[in-house]
Amino acid sequence: MAKITFDGIEVEVPDGTTILNAARKIGGGVVPPAMCYYTPLKGSGGKCRACLVRVAAGSAKDPRPMPKLVASCITPVQDGMVVENTTSQQVLDVRKGIVEMLLINHPLDCPVCDQAGECDLQNFAFEHGVSTTRYEEERRTFEKIDIGPYVQLHMTRCILCYRCVYTADQLTDGRVHGVLGRGDASEIGTYIDKVIDNDFSGNVIDVCPVGALTDKTFRFKQRVWFTKPMNAHRECSHEKCNGHVTLWYKGKDVMRVTARKDEYGEVKEWICNECRFDKKETADWILEGPAHIDRSSVISQGHYELPVVNPQIIADLPESTIRDLQQNPPLKLGGLNG
Amino acid sequence: MGRKLLTEHVNVEGIETFEVYRKHGGYRAVEKALKTMTPDEVVDEVKKSGLRGRGGAGFPTGLKWSFLAKPEGVPRYLVCNADESEPGTFKDRYLMSKLPHLLIEGMIAGSYALGARTSYIYIRGELLYVLRILEKAIAEAYAAGFLGENILGSGYSLDLHVHPGAGAYICGEETALLESLEGKRGNPRNKPPFPAVQGLYARPTVVNNVESIASVVPILNEGGDEYAKLGVGKSTGTKLFSACGHLNKPGIYELELGVPVEEFIYSDEYCGGIWKGRELKAVVAGGSSVPILPKELILKTAAGENRLMTYESLSDGGFVTGTMLGSGGFIAMDETTCIVKNTWNFSRFYHHESCGQCSPCREGTGWMEKVLHRLEHGHGSMHDIDLVVSVAKQIEGNTICPLGEAAAWPVAAAVRHFRDEFEWHVKHPHEATQPGAVYRGAGVLA
């Protein structure tokens, strides 16, 4: 086990845990944002640089600070490590810069984007960005390509997080899409006439942090904040799919089906295309009840929750830390109240 | 002229062949290592020599070798980074094309020291003619029994492969190189784990520059202590410098580290001064990624001491008044050089070569290039000068690999030392965009 101090809060985690996951154990407003890291996807992370943090002390053995900011999603903790996230002005300034970079070529077409309301980049920009841009040059655009019957690709919105590539690589056989080109000319694409038509291709929609990959069967049908998410399941014949989903209702109609996600927007269990695209009647499903939306998103309008420290770890915290938290709760650290 | 350890026989007719190379003392280092030394003794010898990485970072080679993880029953690899692509740097291709057996000998000795049974030379794709030379030399070494099974009856076996890249600068970054060598897209990996623990095919791997590996040969022949006597302080031995730009005698020079920069530029023994009798304006001392310095700061440190061709002296003053020795790509610019245009040109290169994996570099390199393009072409504003520095700052230190810094440092340094020239481009766009127009501090040189 390794004991680390994250934004002044002590937490003990198993060896090998990343700084980000240690912060997630604490929860609340201290958790760094992540645009490319995705827990179920092996090898993801380190690309977007949104989760950079300052390591003020490397470990108990070697308490020197790390010379550069490190990506918390891929850096393992060391016993005695001291990490600064929202308590470091340097980190907050760099994060502003990262938002600015990501928004250079990401069009602000939120009013017509299906991802609006559940877009990680919207949340990231809202929490860490600035309201103006200094970019005056021409924006990058791409030729539109058709990548299959279910998934719509908007390459201009892509922030090249590689999540969809890892998903296709690790979840399906015979990946046919990937990153083509180099630098800011990189694009997600398929080889000429290939389409994404395997049984689990729809999961790339769920993992996309922005609106680059959207559901063709849901396009322009409804804004997500007008829908009501309900957890449901069915006996799925596909061996890899357990049929646990979230149904998004508008009135009595199922507008779309997605995999269930955790509080960080990460899919808990992958679902097959049959469950996602072909079963859009309530009769197909056994309803379990309303899905819990606990992210700082417009979807949760009317039932906002303040970010707080995970109750599970409070019992293990030193008294001094609990005292500090009572005086300066983490909900004051960045995030909604920053 | 100082001692030449690497290029002593470079002009000998036929030195690229095994027979002639052997006649001139070739493969003595391999014989010595395999017959009289243990692998650890070879590593110690390299440590004693004080050899520092010749690819740019300057990390002690022996120390790097000693970091290599050695789990039982797991293969280890030595990979030679011959993906020389930094603008202004052309020493490795020279070494490989003229002295292929020197590199092969270094590879055998290094592989023996590290316990590698298979090693690779990853060569820049555009250097097809060098690839052919290396392939021929490797075949000769196999035929002579210096590669393959049971080399010289020592019980040590080694297979050496040469692998061409596809012409991406990013594949010179060690982890991107390994990805490319594995047949994947040449994207840098996140570190940790470092290659010494998980490198090629997730096995312990050392990646060394061509010149670093070639330098192992004279170190073993002369002894690490003797090698360390050459040079100054922690900059030991000799180093190849590729001099280019506005010099009377551009070319490749092997220098004992410690030669004054002024002597290197102006002495007839080396570059022979600035061409056409012009004045020196600026120098990029270690390949295009290191900070540019104006004449007064490249010849002398801020403290007024003579600047020497060593790691320490060139970096004296940090990035405020210093630079880096880097890869030894020495680019001299005379008084007619437009620094803004030159900076834009460098920036264009890094924009083109960014792999696009991480956001600051992918978006920032292009942004810098576009702003610099505007400044150079008379459409910039004062705000743009600060903007480009700010973008450079946003990239620096926040990327997966050092390409971010490589793109940011030249821009930040150019504005730091030549800000008045950038401002002149803004204030006098018409004059600045005239063909041949150059800022002279007081006006235009027609």
Side-chain angles (χ1 to χ4, degrees):
Chain A
M1 297 291 279
K3 204 174 261 186
I4 74 158
T5 306
F6 191 96
D7 272 357
I9 302 168
E10 259 188 30
V11 62
E12 200 165 12
V13 290
D15 289 335
T17 306
T18 60
I19 295 173
L20 178 71
N21 284 326
R24 284 181 175 185
K25 192 176 177 189
I26 298 168
V30 299
V31 182
M35 303 294 297
C36 66
Y37 174 76
Y38 208 77
T39 310
L41 299 175
K42 194 169 164 285
S44 66
K47 294 175 174 61
C48 69
R49 319 306 280 177
C51 69
L52 290 175
V53 292
R54 180 171 180 269
V55 176
S59 65
K61 278 184 195 163
D62 183 3
R64 287 175 303 174
M66 288 192 182
K68 292 178 183 178
L69 301 186
V70 300
S72 59
C73 63
I74 50 164
T75 308
V77 297
Q78 302 283 336
D79 190 43
M81 190 181 255
V82 177
V83 184
E84 294 171 358
N85 175 32
T86 54
T87 51
S88 164
Q89 194 52 48
Q90 184 194 1
V91 169
L92 297 176
D93 289 346
V94 164
R95 225 164 257 167
K96 276 195 178 73
I98 301 295
V99 173
E100 186 175 38
M101 297 285 192
L102 287 173
L103 290 178
I104 281 177
N105 285 306
H106 183 89
L108 295 183
D109 57 357
C110 312
V112 295
C113 176
D114 286 311
Q115 191 83 1
E118 50 187 12
C119 172
D120 289 348
L121 189 52
Q122 272 185 332
N123 297 336
F124 184 37
F126 176 70
E127 288 166 9
H128 295 283
V130 289
S131 54
T132 55
T133 180
R134 298 178 296 168
Y135 192 79
E136 300 169 17
E137 325 306 322
E138 196 176 329
R139 314 278 167 159
R140 183 181 56 206
T141 54
F142 295 92
E143 290 293 316
K144 282 192 166 52
I145 60 166
D146 184 0
I147 60 167
Y150 295 126
V151 183
Q152 177 67 40
L153 171 65
H154 295 265
M155 193 53 223
T156 47
R157 295 176 188 160
C158 178
I159 58 164
L160 287 163
C161 69
Y162 284 66
R163 281 181 185 178
C164 63
V165 182
Y166 287 119
T167 303
D169 227 17
Q170 293 167 30
L171 192 63
T172 64
D173 295 326
R175 169 169 68 93
V176 294
H177 87 285
V179 177
L180 313 173
R182 195 170 67 197
D184 59 4
S186 302
E187 61 177 303
I188 298 291
T190 55
Y191 293 113
I192 305 169
D193 59 347
K194 292 272 197 295
V195 291
I196 300 177
D197 60 356
N198 61 64
D199 292 344
F200 280 78
S201 64
N203 289 288
V204 300
I205 299 165
D206 281 342
V207 301
C208 181
V210 292
L213 295 166
T214 55
D215 182 342
K216 272 189 176 177
T217 66
F218 178 63
R219 276 186 93 200
F220 306 135
K221 284 196 174 163
Q222 197 51 255
R223 303 312 256 157
V224 292
W225 53 90
F226 294 134
T227 60
K228 187 177 169 189
M230 298 284 284
N231 284 341
H233 66 269
R234 63 182 280 266
E235 282 297 319
C236 181
S237 56
H238 205 298
E239 58 182 23
K240 276 189 183 174
C241 174
N242 68 359
H244 285 71
V245 302
T246 301
L247 305 178
W248 297 75
Y249 278 93
K250 174 69 178 168
K252 289 182 180 174
D253 299 329
V254 178
M255 305 305 294
R256 68 167 177 170
V257 182
T258 65
R260 292 188 196 177
K261 295 184 177 184
D262 65 13
E263 62 194 300
Y264 299 109
E266 292 177 351
V267 167
K268 292 176 181 172
E269 286 156 334
W270 310 106
I271 61 168
C272 67
N273 283 1
E274 186 190 2
C275 287
R276 184 185 300 271
F277 299 116
D278 300 339
K279 303 292 178 187
K280 295 214 174 173
E281 298 294 333
T282 303
D284 297 328
W285 299 95
I286 298 161
L287 295 183
E288 296 170 19
H292 182 68
I293 300 289
D294 58 358
R295 301 187 69 217
S296 53
S297 159
V298 70
I299 303 173
S300 51
Q301 61 169 348
H303 48 95
Y304 285 116
E305 292 172 11
L306 290 171
V308 290
V309 170
N310 277 340
Q312 298 96 309
I313 73 155
I314 290 178
D316 303 328
L317 293 176
E319 264 184 49
S320 58
T321 306
I322 292 176
R323 235 188 348 266
D324 284 348
L325 286 174
Q326 284 164 344
Q327 287 160 9
N328 302 296
L331 54 94
K332 281 194 177 173
L333 302 174
L336 281 173
N337 309 17
Chain B
M1 189 71 80
R3 282 201 60 188
K4 288 190 173 11
L5 299 179
L6 298 171
T7 57
E8 188 184 354
H9 306 298
V10 76
N11 292 321
V12 173
E13 186 70 33
I15 195 69
E16 71 279 1
T17 62
F18 176 83
E19 202 180 334
V20 177
Y21 180 75
R22 187 86 169 111
K23 211 178 282 180
H24 285 82
Y27 290 98
R28 270 193 307 128
V30 167
E31 284 179 311
K32 185 179 176 182
L34 266 58
K35 288 178 177 174
T36 67
M37 298 169 84
T38 64
D40 285 345
E41 282 171 341
V42 177
V43 174
D44 286 343
E45 212 59 45
V46 176
K47 269 189 187 170
K48 270 191 271 181
S49 74
L51 174 70
R52 293 170 67 170
R54 302 300 197 220
F59 193 80
T61 305
L63 196 60
K64 193 175 189 176
W65 286 12
S66 65
F67 288 156
L68 187 74
K70 295 181 178 173
E72 275 299 307
V74 172
R76 301 189 282 272
Y77 299 103
L78 172 63
V79 177
C80 171
N81 184 347
D83 192 77
E84 181 179 58
S85 328
E86 180 111 342
T89 311
F90 46 93
K91 63 184 179 70
D92 292 341
R93 81 169 77 167
Y94 174 80
L95 205 59
M96 289 187 290
S97 61
K98 299 280 188 187
L99 295 156
H101 284 284
L102 181 70
L103 173 61
I104 293 165
E105 187 176 5
M107 285 295 288
I108 299 166
S111 301
Y112 172 71
L114 298 167
R117 298 298 162 115
T118 307
S119 294
Y120 296 87
I121 299 169
Y122 182 97
I123 189 166
R124 181 179 169 184
E126 290 96 329
L127 303 181
L128 202 63
Y129 73 101
V130 183
L131 173 79
R132 299 281 174 259
I133 292 167
L134 278 173
E135 282 176 334
K136 186 167 174 276
I138 289 170
E140 287 176 332
Y142 266 106
F146 281 93
L147 281 172
E149 292 296 311
N150 193 16
I151 299 168
L152 304 179
S154 65
Y156 174 69
S157 306
L158 175 70
D159 282 313
L160 180 61
H161 304 278
V162 56
H163 178 97
Y169 170 74
I170 189 61
C171 290
E173 195 278 335
E174 62 176 2
T175 59
L177 184 153
L178 296 175
E179 286 283 290
S180 175
L181 195 50
E182 289 179 10
K184 301 174 191 160
R185 187 183 159 86
N187 278 357
R189 295 173 182 172
N190 289 303
K191 296 185 223 176
F194 288 88
V197 179
Q198 269 188 44
L200 186 65
Y201 310 121
R203 303 295 191 218
T205 305
V206 166
V207 182
N208 280 139
N209 166 264
V210 171
E211 192 189 344
S212 307
I213 290 170
S215 298
V216 172
V217 175
I219 287 168
L220 292 181
N221 284 337
E222 309 267 330
D225 290 329
E226 284 303 307
Y227 186 91
K229 285 177 187 170
L230 298 171
V232 177
K234 287 183 180 173
S235 298
T236 60
T238 65
K239 163 134 187 57
L240 294 178
F241 287 89
S242 48
C244 63
H246 301 147
L247 295 163
N248 280 323
K249 289 161 59 184
I252 311 274
Y253 295 94
E254 184 177 0
L255 307 182
E256 185 180 329
L257 287 165
V259 171
V261 174
E262 191 162 9
E263 185 184 334
F264 180 61
I265 296 172
Y266 292 103
S267 153
D268 285 333
E269 201 178 330
Y270 302 116
C271 301
I274 308 302
W275 74 341
K276 298 179 184 177
R278 290 179 184 163
E279 274 293 302
L280 178 68
K281 182 176 184 176
V283 164
V284 173
S288 66
S289 61
V290 307
I292 190 170
L293 284 184
K295 177 185 176 178
E296 51 277 14
L297 283 174
I298 190 66
L299 300 182
K300 293 206 182 299
T301 65
E305 291 168 7
N306 278 340
R307 188 90 65 180
L308 309 177
M309 300 288 265
T310 65
Y311 291 93
E312 295 77 20
S313 180
L314 282 167
S315 59
D316 186 310
F319 281 177
V320 180
T321 58
T323 180
M324 289 166 73
L325 182 136
S327 59
F330 195 90
I331 310 168
M333 300 171 208
D334 73 15
E335 61 199 329
T336 66
T337 307
C338 173
I339 297 295
V340 180
K341 187 175 185 177
N342 179 70
T343 310
W344 166 56
N345 200 28
F346 280 172
S347 198
R348 199 163 46 139
F349 172 80
Y350 291 108
H351 175 205
H352 184 261
E353 294 297 336
S354 167
C355 80
Q357 196 182 195
C358 62
S359 332
C361 179
R362 180 181 66 241
E363 308 295 350
T365 50
W367 193 358
M368 284 196 304
E369 194 233 313
K370 286 165 186 165
V371 176
L372 287 163
H373 178 274
R374 267 195 286 127
L375 282 163
E376 164 60 15
H377 291 84
H379 306 294
S381 65
M382 288 295 183
H383 161 75
D384 285 335
I385 301 170
D386 295 323
L387 174 65
V388 84
V389 173
S390 165
V391 175
K393 197 169 161 227
Q394 278 174 212
I395 300 171
E396 191 188 335
N398 299 324
T399 53
I400 293 176
C401 82
L403 194 142
E405 277 92 6
W409 287 341
V411 174
V415 175
R416 186 184 307 122
H417 296 301
F418 298 94
R419 192 182 180 97
D420 49 352
E421 190 161 345
F422 281 82
E423 290 180 354
W424 181 74
H425 272 68
V426 172
K427 289 174 188 166
H428 304 280
H430 183 69
E431 292 93 320
T433 50
Q434 294 302 308
V438 174
Y439 178 71
R440 303 288 304 277
V444 180
L445 174 73

